[in-house]
Amino acid sequence: MSGWRYIAMRTVSQDVLDWDVPFKPDSPPRRELSGPGQMAGTITPEYMRLMAKPDGLPVLAEWATSLFAEFNGRIRWGGLITNIAYQGQAMKVTCAGYTAYPNEMPYLGPGIRSGAVIPKKWAYDGKDKNNDGYIDGSKPRKKMPKRPKDTISSRWDAFDVYRHVWSHLQSYKMGRLGLTIDKHDSGYKLGAASGKDPWELQWWENPDCGQVLSDVMGLARADYLERHYWDGSKEKILHHVDLGRRRLGKSRPDLRFAQGENVIEIATPNHQGSHFANNVYVLGKGSGKKTARARVVVDDKRVRRAKLVTYKSTANARTLTEHGKKIRARHSQQLTIPSIAVRHHPNAPLGSWQLGDRILVQVDIPWVGELAIWHRIVSEEIDPAAGTAVLNLTRSDFYG
């Protein structure tokens, strides 16, 4: 793959260990919308310069080394080495983007209660024990004054929680990935304004940081995008997460993706068949009759097919409903083209799109005929050397 270079860096210290790792990828690195992406490949045979360094670890070490893919001076992908295996003389290396780091990491920081009722202290609490409406022991008898209204705790913006969790993770010495995050707000406040449905994050409930981040982004109906790039001197690689106030990307009527022109291959279109469901019930935290529950139903003129799923990490109604919407979308009857392979073409020059963009895919499918369906680009594998790319898609109407 002419033009590619792979750079190894010690993740926490950010010291470059090797400027040209002899890495052979299985395929171009995969970038994902609201996901870490991945890269996998092999190194063979053993190279002496990849043996142990003064810190006692090999150059390529699980959860210690980051690997970056550069093409013609631009960082195309970056992530942590998460798994190393051996196949004969070959070393098999698997990497995941930095945003995979929070997954299965416990939250141990201060508690958050967003939009919770805060009872006001009242001088007359407990002074009407017989509930007759009068102050106990008052002579002459005095009526109990009207109780003041309780206050509602401040409500956190979803992006503030996202940044807070990452700040917590990177507060540990060996968790400092050097990852920066956009500073703007999402405009979505967690918890109900009435205080009846607070959003909570409490360490004693053993929350998973990755799941918390996924939940708050789902509630805000927002996307994120991880990227890595050179600083001005091209001596240091920077790491950043872009946050979309709603959905990243835009409608792209200026681009054309048509079979026989720039679309060179399509994956087999999906129908759901036995997996179809138009009624989804989500069971949340709690037990027995006190179990939190949400229902997502759509009237699609088809017979009712129900699916029950559990999501026991929360009792928040909005979180459960958003999770139900995702499950229902996955089990929709609507025909979806899961991926297309495209070549560089004036219709849509390589890299002219962005992750999250909505594109019209025009294909001819046996037994169905000619179709033109709007899809959203959710991941990409670009090979600029070959002038091709694989775009993974979902129907744009899944997002509402």
Side-chain angles (χ1 to χ4, degrees):
M1 299 175 71
S2 176
W4 287 96
R5 178 171 67 147
Y6 300 91
I7 302 164
M9 183 189 82
R10 193 66 83 219
T11 302
V12 173
S13 70
Q14 300 201 43
D15 294 329
V16 174
L17 305 174
D18 195 307
W19 289 97
D20 195 6
V21 177
F23 178 80
K24 294 184 179 179
D26 296 339
S27 61
R30 174 173 171 158
R31 294 182 69 228
E32 290 182 353
L33 181 69
S34 298
Q38 60 186 12
M39 183 173 71
T42 56
I43 297 175
T44 183
E46 179 180 297
Y47 282 77
M48 289 301 295
R49 74 172 191 266
L50 297 180
M51 302 303 284
K53 286 294 180 180
D55 63 4
L57 293 174
V59 169
L60 303 185
E62 296 172 336
W63 300 104
T65 305
S66 295
L67 198 61
F68 299 90
E70 180 198 60
F71 184 83
N72 289 349
R74 176 186 168 189
I75 303 295
R76 292 277 181 173
W77 191 88
L80 297 153
I81 294 178
T82 57
N83 185 266
I84 291 176
Y86 299 94
Q87 299 174 348
Q89 296 296 312
M91 173 192 284
K92 184 75 175 178
V93 179
T94 303
C95 308
Y98 277 29
T99 48
Y101 177 69
N103 296 334
E104 300 182 9
M105 291 286 283
Y107 176 78
L108 302 172
I112 293 176
R113 297 191 77 216
S114 178
V117 174
I118 304 175
K120 267 195 173 181
K121 290 184 178 180
W122 191 36
Y124 294 93
D125 274 333
K127 293 190 176 182
D128 182 17
K129 293 179 181 177
N130 59 3
N131 297 314
D132 65 355
Y134 290 88
I135 300 173
D136 295 341
S138 61
K139 293 182 180 180
R141 297 180 72 194
K142 292 183 180 179
K143 285 190 175 183
M144 287 284 287
K146 190 175 181 180
R147 185 182 184 90
K149 288 184 177 180
D150 294 330
T151 58
I152 308 298
S153 67
S154 60
R155 298 166 69 204
W156 284 59
D157 185 90
F159 287 176
D160 284 336
V161 172
Y162 190 94
R163 286 185 287 266
H164 172 81
V165 172
W166 266 109
S167 178
H168 165 66
L169 290 171
Q170 294 193 97
S171 68
Y172 293 88
K173 181 180 178 181
M174 295 309 294
R176 295 172 186 167
L177 307 186
L179 188 74
T180 58
I181 300 170
D182 278 353
K183 295 182 178 180
H184 62 266
D185 289 341
S186 69
Y188 181 86
K189 299 293 185 181
L190 297 168
S194 65
K196 293 182 179 179
D197 188 18
W199 186 91
E200 295 183 308
L201 177 62
Q202 309 289 4
W203 63 264
W204 56 83
E205 294 179 347
N206 192 29
D208 178 286
C209 287
Q211 190 61 63
V212 172
L213 296 177
S214 177
D215 286 347
V216 297
M217 294 300 280
L219 287 170
R221 295 191 177 184
D223 294 315
Y224 69 84
L225 188 60
E226 174 183 338
R227 58 186 172 94
H228 306 267
Y229 56 98
W230 289 113
D231 68 354
S233 66
K234 283 205 169 184
E235 294 181 355
K236 184 178 180 181
I237 299 173
L238 305 179
H239 328 289
H240 188 76
V241 173
D242 297 309
L243 301 176
R245 273 194 173 88
R246 290 290 285 175
R247 297 294 184 186
L248 290 172
K250 59 184 180 181
S251 180
R252 298 300 303 271
D254 56 314
L255 303 180
R256 178 178 169 87
F257 294 85
Q259 195 172 13
E261 296 177 14
N262 56 343
V263 175
I264 55 179
E265 189 175 354
I266 67 169
T268 302
N270 290 336
H271 276 296
Q272 294 304 323
S274 60
H275 297 288
F276 168 70
N278 51 14
N279 284 231
V280 174
Y281 299 82
V282 186
L283 301 184
K285 187 183 294 183
S287 60
K289 292 182 179 179
K290 294 184 179 180
T291 301
R293 184 173 68 171
R295 184 180 71 151
V296 176
V297 175
V298 62
D299 181 6
D300 57 4
K301 310 304 180 185
R302 302 175 191 275
V303 298
R304 176 178 177 269
R305 293 287 296 171
K307 183 174 181 63
L308 183 68
V309 297
T310 58
Y311 197 64
K312 304 300 285 185
S313 63
T314 183
N316 183 277
R318 289 179 181 270
T319 303
L320 297 176
T321 300
E322 287 301 320
H323 183 68
K325 289 179 180 179
K326 290 180 181 179
I327 298 297
R328 193 205 65 76
R330 292 175 195 162
H331 293 268
S332 167
Q333 181 69 16
Q334 294 170 301
L335 185 143
T336 302
I337 300 168
S339 65
I340 57 175
V342 300
R343 62 184 177 89
H344 182 71
H345 191 278
N347 286 353
L350 207 64
S352 57
W353 58 84
Q354 300 291 331
L355 291 182
D357 281 355
R358 298 176 295 282
I359 61 173
L360 185 64
V361 179
Q362 302 175 62
V363 294
D364 189 355
I365 299 174
W367 298 100
V368 178
E370 294 184 359
L371 293 177
I373 305 174
W374 284 94
H375 283 74
R376 195 161 186 246
I377 304 172
V378 294
S379 71
E380 64 181 8
E381 299 174 33
I382 296 180
D383 185 351
T388 59
V390 174
L391 306 181
N392 292 283
L393 313 169
T394 59
R395 286 184 65 111
S396 61
D397 51 11
F398 283 177
Y399 297 89

